[in-house]
């Protein structure tokens, strides 16, 4: 089976779609190693390098027109988009010119109207898990945290019982592959102002563009806390499990922390994230960074043993998604 995957990531969009795409491809090839998968992106060389970790061919495209021409040329049986801003015109043209089954994941445009399958894990259902299949058209819709595509290690760590939280000593900061709001520097600075001593692990991505400011914060550290900075780590689940709390942006990392049992604090990067999460998982913004010390002392975290969270069955719908892609 020929599969075409289109995804993008950058300093504004972040890299969540890129990492989810890589995970999805791993699962697909695990199910069927004979799959012929090609990737297409309009993103910069650093993102292309990330996508090449899949072992699949990656093609840079300068426009949607070029993407469409390549899709028509290749005649894939499955076309998968994983990005926020899929062009409705591109999706419409794909359905008019090709017979492929069209999947659109995590997209917020009207292109979803042309898809055979859509998936929205954290936006659109107020975190309720919903599966819909239209009786006439056969169109399938997946909504809710059940349909996050988690890496294998998170399913393993979910089975391990974590010791209940006592004093907070180990803090992990992970605000996405690009962290456009630079919460990495701002939150770290507030932690280092505290008289308490912590072990702080900061994870940044390949598109992080605030290195100079971050270095100023770390080099000006007069506290007793230790800071370790990592970039593009592969053992996220293990590191999350070793910390007392994780500060993250809403999205995949936020839910990954919950899955393995480490409390989380969310900082929204934009108004869209704030609105999507506010009724279930209230998040913090730039103006709230000054309250980091109070949050840590009072342990105002989101805990995974919350009954509402348990009902979300985070990531447990993975096989339903794979089946939908691979079935004839």
């Amino acid at each position: 089976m020929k599969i075409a995957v289109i995804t993008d990531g950058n300093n504004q969009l972040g890299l969540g779609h890129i990492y989810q795409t890589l995970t999805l491809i791993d699962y697909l090839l695990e199910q069927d190693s004979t799959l012929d998968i090609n990737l297409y992106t309009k993103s910069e060389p650093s993102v292309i390098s990330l996508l090449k970790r899949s072992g699949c061919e990656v093609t840079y495209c300068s426009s949607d027109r070029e993407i469409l021409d390549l899709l028509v040329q290749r005649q894939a049986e499955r076309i998968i988009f994983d990005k926020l801003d899929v062009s409705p015109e591109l999706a419409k043209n794909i359905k008019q010119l090709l017979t492929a089954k069209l999947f659109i994941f995590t997209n917020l445009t009207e292109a979803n109207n042309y898809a055979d399958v859509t998936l929205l894990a954290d936006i659109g259902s107020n975190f309720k898990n919903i599966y819909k299949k239209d009786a006439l058209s056969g169109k399938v819709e997946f909504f809710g945290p059940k349909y996050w595509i988690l890496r294998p290690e998170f399913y393993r760590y979910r089975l391990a019982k974590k010791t209940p939280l006592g004093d907070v000593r180990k803090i992990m900061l992970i605000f996405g592959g690009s962290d456009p709001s630079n919460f990495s520097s701002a939150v770290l600075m507030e932690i280092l102002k505290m008289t308490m001593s912590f072990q702080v692990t900061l994870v940044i991505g390949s598109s992080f563009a605030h290195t100079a400011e971050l270095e100023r914060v770390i080099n000006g550290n007069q506290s007793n806390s230790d800071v370790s900075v990592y970039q593009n780590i592969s053992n996220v689940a293990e590191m999350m499990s070793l910390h007392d709390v994780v500060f993250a942006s809403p999205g995949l990392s936020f839910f990954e922390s919950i899955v393995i049992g480490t409390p989380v604090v969310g900082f929204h990067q934009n108004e869209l994230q704030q609105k999507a999460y506010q009724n279930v998982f209230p998040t913090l913004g730039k103006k709230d960074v000054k309250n980091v010390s109070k949050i840590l002392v009072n342990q105002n975290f989101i805990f995974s043993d919350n009954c509402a969270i348990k009902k979300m069955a985070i990531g447990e719908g993975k096989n339903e998604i794979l089946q939908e892609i691979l079935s004839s």
Side-chain angles (χ1 to χ4, degrees):
M1 180 188 292
K2 290 183 180 180
I3 299 177
V5 183
I6 303 96
T7 187
D8 286 314
N10 54 43
N11 288 345
Q12 288 72 44
L13 296 173
L15 297 175
H17 300 279
I18 302 300
Y19 288 116
Q20 179 166 271
T21 293
L22 291 172
T23 303
L24 175 64
I25 289 173
D26 282 345
Y27 284 132
L28 288 171
L29 292 173
E30 186 180 274
Q31 294 282 319
D32 184 350
S33 61
T34 68
L35 294 174
D36 182 4
I37 303 176
N38 282 51
L39 292 97
Y40 304 91
T41 184
K42 294 189 288 184
S43 299
E44 61 188 31
S46 63
V47 173
I48 292 173
S49 294
L50 276 177
L51 290 172
K52 285 182 177 179
R53 293 182 186 179
S54 66
C56 302
E57 182 178 333
V58 182
T59 302
Y60 169 76
C61 300
S62 60
S63 66
D64 286 341
R65 179 74 245 183
E66 186 176 353
I67 290 173
L68 180 62
D69 290 344
L70 288 170
L71 292 176
V72 170
Q73 178 182 328
R74 188 154 186 271
Q75 293 289 317
E77 295 139 277
R78 302 287 185 270
I79 297 174
I80 303 171
F81 282 88
D82 192 336
K83 49 185 289 184
L84 280 174
D85 56 351
V86 180
S87 161
E89 181 181 5
L90 177 56
K92 180 180 179 181
N93 287 334
I94 286 171
K95 292 308 293 180
Q96 289 177 340
L97 298 174
L98 297 163
T99 59
K101 192 173 182 180
L102 178 59
F103 296 76
I104 300 183
F105 295 169
T106 327
N107 172 60
L108 301 178
T109 74
E110 293 183 1
N112 291 341
N113 296 332
Y114 300 100
D116 298 293
V117 179
T118 59
L119 187 156
L120 283 165
D122 65 340
I123 296 174
S125 69
N126 204 27
F127 300 98
K128 292 182 174 63
N129 295 321
I130 300 170
Y131 170 85
K132 294 181 180 179
K133 184 168 185 177
D134 187 273
L136 295 177
S137 68
K139 178 173 181 172
V140 170
E141 295 175 282
F142 295 108
F143 291 97
K146 180 181 179 182
Y147 300 107
W148 277 116
I149 302 171
L150 306 176
R151 294 190 292 279
E153 60 265 30
F154 286 94
Y155 295 101
R156 294 194 297 269
Y157 274 93
R158 191 209 302 266
L159 300 175
K161 296 215 172 174
K162 190 160 175 146
T163 304
L165 180 63
D167 293 334
V168 175
R169 286 291 176 263
K170 296 182 179 180
I171 305 169
M172 182 174 179
L173 310 180
I174 180 168
F175 296 107
S178 59
D179 186 12
S181 299
N182 195 13
F183 282 118
S184 297
S185 300
V187 173
L188 179 60
M189 180 181 290
E190 292 301 314
I191 293 172
L192 297 180
K193 287 179 183 177
M194 297 177 66
T195 57
M196 301 170 64
S197 62
F198 301 100
Q199 293 180 34
V200 184
T201 299
L202 171 60
V203 179
I204 58 175
S206 58
S207 293
F208 184 74
H210 312 285
T211 304
E213 183 175 349
L214 179 60
E215 288 178 350
R216 284 195 295 271
V217 171
I218 295 173
N219 292 336
N221 173 19
Q222 300 297 319
S223 76
N224 295 318
S225 294
D226 294 321
V227 180
S228 300
V229 180
Y230 298 87
Q231 187 169 29
N232 298 327
I233 62 172
S234 58
N235 60 331
V236 177
E238 179 184 12
M239 294 191 73
M240 283 182 169
S241 72
L242 295 173
H243 287 77
D244 300 316
V245 63
V246 171
F247 285 59
S249 293
L252 187 53
S253 294
F254 182 92
F255 283 95
E256 286 173 341
S257 184
I258 291 173
V259 163
I260 65 170
T262 300
V264 66
V265 179
F267 282 83
H268 55 262
Q269 298 279 356
N270 50 54
E271 188 177 353
L272 174 64
Q273 288 182 338
Q274 181 184 19
K275 288 183 176 179
Y277 281 70
Q278 64 186 358
N279 293 327
V280 181
F281 298 117
T283 56
L284 307 173
K286 276 286 193 178
K287 63 180 176 55
D288 302 303
V289 170
K290 64 182 183 295
N291 297 321
V292 162
S293 61
K294 292 180 181 178
I295 291 167
L296 286 168
V297 171
N298 298 326
Q299 297 190 4
N300 294 327
F301 311 148
I302 296 169
F303 291 85
S304 59
D305 59 359
N306 180 289
C307 291
I309 289 174
K310 288 181 178 180
K311 291 179 181 177
M312 291 181 184
I314 299 168
E316 293 181 14
K318 174 197 66 170
N319 289 336
E320 294 176 48
I321 300 165
L322 297 176
Q323 178 64 26
E324 197 64 49
I325 296 171
L326 297 173
S327 61
S328 56

